[in-house]
Amino acid sequence: MKPVLAAGAVISDASGRLLLVKRGHDPERGCWSVPGGHVEPGEAPKEAAAREVFEETGLRVSVGRELWSTLIEYPDGQSFEIHDFVAHVDGGHLVAGDDADDARWMTPAEVARASLAAGLGERLRQAGYL
């Protein structure tokens, strides 16, 4: 089965906090992740990252360079090719929306203690966020 193409954004504020969302749907329902989701047909991953951030958090962002891409395979046979980008908030008001059960700014210590989506903690550490 071909992996589902997905994109997300790693967003930090001036205090070094990271913006995370609590997943409201499977896969990994209840886990914290960077905002993101499926890339729509004809949509570039950067465009998808900005759209998904807005849908899940109510924040408008500028999307910059790609931080990483990864392939995540789940036991049910589903797999996702995920491209995560650095992004900066341009406006909006933080509110959990779309398929996010919660959205909040977390300190690196809070992120390290949170139940994170598969491999996210390691990728954030490698990128220097934790």
Side-chain angles (χ1 to χ4, degrees), residues 7-8 10 16 23 38 43-44 50 52 62 66 78 94 100:
V10 177
R23 296 188 53 80
H38 297 91
E43 185 177 45
E52 287 286 345
S62 297
E66 186 171 341
Q78 271 193 315
L94 181 61

Side-chain angles (χ1 to χ4, degrees), residues 29-83:
R29 181 182 186 150
C31 290
W32 290 92
S33 185
V34 298
H38 297 91
V39 176
E40 299 294 336
E43 185 177 45
K46 276 188 174 184
E47 295 168 337
R51 177 184 51 75
E52 287 286 345
V53 169
F54 181 72
E55 289 175 2
E56 292 185 350
T57 71
L59 298 175
R60 298 214 179 269
V61 296
S62 297
V63 179
R65 68 181 174 85
E66 186 171 341
L67 286 171
W68 59 69
S69 64
T70 189
L71 180 66
I72 298 179
E73 297 176 336
Y74 292 98
D76 66 359
Q78 271 193 315
S79 62
F80 291 81
E81 177 186 332
I82 302 171
H83 297 263

Side-chain angles (χ1 to χ4, degrees), residues 26 42 113 130:
D26 283 327
R113 289 190 305 269
L130 298 181

